[in-house]
Amino acid sequence: MSPACEHVVLVGLMGVGKSTVGARLSEVLGWPLVDSDEQVEAATGRTVREIFERDGEAAFRGFEARALAEALDAPGPSIIAAAGGVVLTEENRRRLKAPRIDVVWLKASAATVTVRAVEGVHRPLLADDPAGVLARMAVEREPLYREVADHVVDVDGRSVEEVTDSVLEVIGAC
Ligand code: S3P
């Protein structure tokens, strides 16, 4: 198989299902899954939460950018479950817009992600007001996800299988 794109990248807010849909896509396509948060944890030997607590958000964003760059520079094809914040940096957005990088925005309402995102231990930014934080993030980030996305897939009220099928449809011959 000779895919038309090198990597498929899933972007979206925390809790949209990038890792779970990514795992399912990886199974179906037989491509490796690269999860940005796991990459950061493997590279630093620390958890995402520890990095935020000890070094702060700016340091984490540096590790996040390096993880994205490494994943995109690696030989493909692969599925990349990008950390929710990658779109905040202009350099990351530039990389995501490169040819042969197919970006799928998993789009959900703030209500959907609030229910799911609170389950993750690697999300210190949510603190004690997950709904408020995610609502603000949605306002700030949606234009940025839209800017980098080649495709948009709605996840509200849909199962992992349904979302995976939609992603397979939109990436087509990739
Ligand atoms: C973050 C998302 C998290 C993790 C960190 C910050 C963000 O990853 O990288 O807590 O700023 O959106 P997921 O998107 O995989 O939850």
Side-chain angles (χ1 to χ4, degrees):
M1 182 179 188
S2 166
C5 66
E6 269 180 59
H7 302 286
V8 170
V9 187
L10 303 179
V11 299
L13 287 173
M14 302 179 208
V16 288
K18 300 178 295 284
S19 301
T20 43
V21 171
R24 185 80 193 104
L25 284 168
S26 163
E27 257 174 49
V28 173
L29 293 168
W31 299 359
L33 171 68
V34 182
D35 184 293
S36 296
D37 290 326
E38 286 177 9
Q39 265 180 296
V40 168
E41 293 190 344
T44 59
R46 286 182 287 153
T47 65
V48 169
R49 181 172 287 276
E50 282 167 352
I51 298 169
F52 267 90
E53 285 171 358
R54 289 201 216 152
D55 305 329
E57 180 168 349
F60 176 78
R61 298 296 171 204
F63 293 126
E64 180 184 68
R66 196 172 314 156
L68 180 72
E70 278 174 16
L72 293 176
D73 288 345
S78 77
I79 306 290
I80 300 171
V86 287
V87 291
L88 295 173
T89 312
E90 196 180 343
E91 172 65 10
N92 291 346
R93 297 200 299 278
R94 189 190 61 75
R95 285 179 173 278
L96 288 168
K97 288 189 245 174
R100 292 169 61 86
I101 305 294
D102 218 18
V103 178
V104 183
W105 173 22
L106 300 185
K107 187 172 182 295
S109 66
T112 297
V113 289
T114 301
V115 172
R116 298 192 198 164
V118 289
E119 288 162 14
V121 291
H122 64 291
R123 294 167 177 149
L125 288 177
L126 296 183
D128 49 8
D129 179 23
V133 172
L134 283 162
R136 284 192 293 279
M137 278 183 176
V139 171
E140 179 191 13
R141 295 184 184 178
E142 285 199 5
L144 305 176
Y145 292 131
R146 186 167 285 116
E147 179 187 326
V148 298
D150 297 296
H151 316 282
V152 183
V153 168
D154 269 301
V155 310
D156 282 334
R158 306 180 66 211
S159 68
V160 172
E161 281 68 31
E162 288 169 329
V163 174
T164 303
D165 286 347
S166 293
V167 174
L168 288 168
E169 223 166 88
V170 296
I171 64 176
C174 174

